[in-house]
Amino acid sequence: MSQRLRVTGRGVSLPVNTARRLVGALLDLIYPPTCGGCQRAGARFCERCLAEVHWLDAGPVCLRCGRPAPDGQLCARCRHSPPALDAIRSAALFAGPLREAIHAFKYGGRSDLAEPLAGLMAAFWQRCALPADCVVPVPLHPSRERERGFNQATLLARAFAAQTGLTLAVGGLERVRETPPQIGLSASERRANMRGAFRIGVGILPGRRPLIVDDVCTTGATLEACAAPLIAAGCETVYALTLARARLQM
Ligand SMILES: [Zn+2]
Ligand SMILES: [Zn+2]
């Protein structure tokens, strides 16, 4: 597969990604994008909204589940019943302009927000990377993906992998069955709802320390259900990173 694209008739060729970025930048000049967080024209996620992002590495977090923990060790919940995942991290709180942007990204036809939103994950990762060796997006059920036209986790994972240099493993996991919406369910109901929802996919897993990527983590039930087949398949450690985490009472 050619990774290079001839862009002029004078023998100058550019990598596909560079050419795409140049075309994108040119289009942005002609049709300025609007911010997914505040709708102002100029950037896809503007400086003002960026300043309002509540980063989750601003204070100490539980080593396992990534929720705020005063001593930066294991929280009471993880000491009592540790999650199957070796570590869950989320870049920021699911609130304010970031919440608006995620909503626009998933439901408002703004798939162009994948790049700047993954940029937030990459910025977080630069500060607190885990020793993962490949990126696996949380799969949608094929019928849901057809309906939406894309899988938001795949778009985020692809842009995140490109920005961090990690290998992307699309198809590493498959969703076996469609699950009812999780809204309004308790943590244990969510776990029961998600149990057995995923299996190892046809895609080759290019590593033994996968990082599962999703947009939002609420109780972690989806990530746990994704981790189960990876652990059963012999992965050494399984990590997860989400763009945002819903505020939860401990
Ligand atoms: Zn904004
Ligand atoms: Zn914890």
Side-chain angles (χ1 to χ4, degrees):
M1 194 176 69
S2 172
Q3 282 297 307
R4 303 183 80 80
L5 174 73
R6 191 166 287 271
V7 290
T8 77
R10 287 176 298 174
V12 180
S13 67
L14 288 172
V16 172
N17 283 342
T18 311
R20 251 189 222 137
R21 264 202 300 277
L22 283 174
V23 172
L26 199 64
L27 284 174
D28 283 357
L29 279 177
I30 304 167
Y31 309 103
T34 56
C35 172
C38 67
Q39 315 305 325
R40 287 188 189 90
R44 288 186 169 77
F45 196 70
C46 75
E47 290 293 327
R48 221 185 292 206
C49 288
L50 187 63
E52 281 189 48
V53 168
H54 182 115
W55 294 101
L56 287 175
D57 62 328
V61 296
C62 167
L63 296 173
R64 202 76 187 251
C65 71
R67 289 194 187 90
D71 58 359
Q73 296 298 312
L74 288 184
C75 72
R77 192 197 298 231
C78 289
R79 270 200 303 272
H80 182 247
S81 56
L85 284 141
D86 292 272
I88 305 173
R89 296 291 180 270
S90 304
L93 203 62
F94 184 55
L98 178 59
R99 184 191 181 123
E100 297 302 316
I102 292 173
H103 203 265
F105 170 53
K106 279 171 82 170
Y107 309 114
R110 292 292 309 267
S111 54
D112 63 311
L113 294 175
E115 196 78 26
L117 293 178
L120 300 180
M121 296 167 79
F124 173 84
W125 191 253
Q126 224 168 29
R127 300 190 295 264
C128 15
L130 297 163
D133 57 12
C134 61
V135 179
V136 185
V138 170
L140 276 183
H141 191 270
S143 64
R144 182 82 60 88
E145 187 163 344
R146 266 196 303 277
E147 205 175 285
R148 191 172 291 172
F150 60 90
N151 173 2
Q152 74 278 2
T154 304
L155 296 190
L156 284 178
R158 179 170 289 133
F160 173 76
Q163 292 177 34
T164 54
L166 284 165
T167 307
L168 178 67
V170 173
L173 284 172
E174 278 175 10
R175 195 177 284 242
V176 181
R177 57 182 174 84
E178 203 158 4
T179 46
Q182 307 256 65
I183 294 164
L185 299 184
S186 70
S188 60
E189 286 168 338
R190 281 172 186 245
R191 271 198 298 279
N193 188 30
M194 296 308 300
R195 197 166 294 135
F198 302 96
R199 69 174 173 214
I200 292 292
V202 290
I204 294 163
L205 208 62
R208 296 177 58 80
R209 300 191 304 273
L211 177 73
I212 302 165
V213 163
D214 206 359
D215 53 345
V216 183
C217 167
T218 305
T219 60
T222 303
L223 301 172
E224 289 282 310
C226 282
L230 292 169
I231 293 165
C235 286
E236 260 170 41
T237 49
V238 181
Y239 304 112
L241 172 69
T242 69
L243 168 59
R245 180 161 316 207
R247 200 191 293 272
L248 276 182
Q249 58 280 45
M250 289 297 293

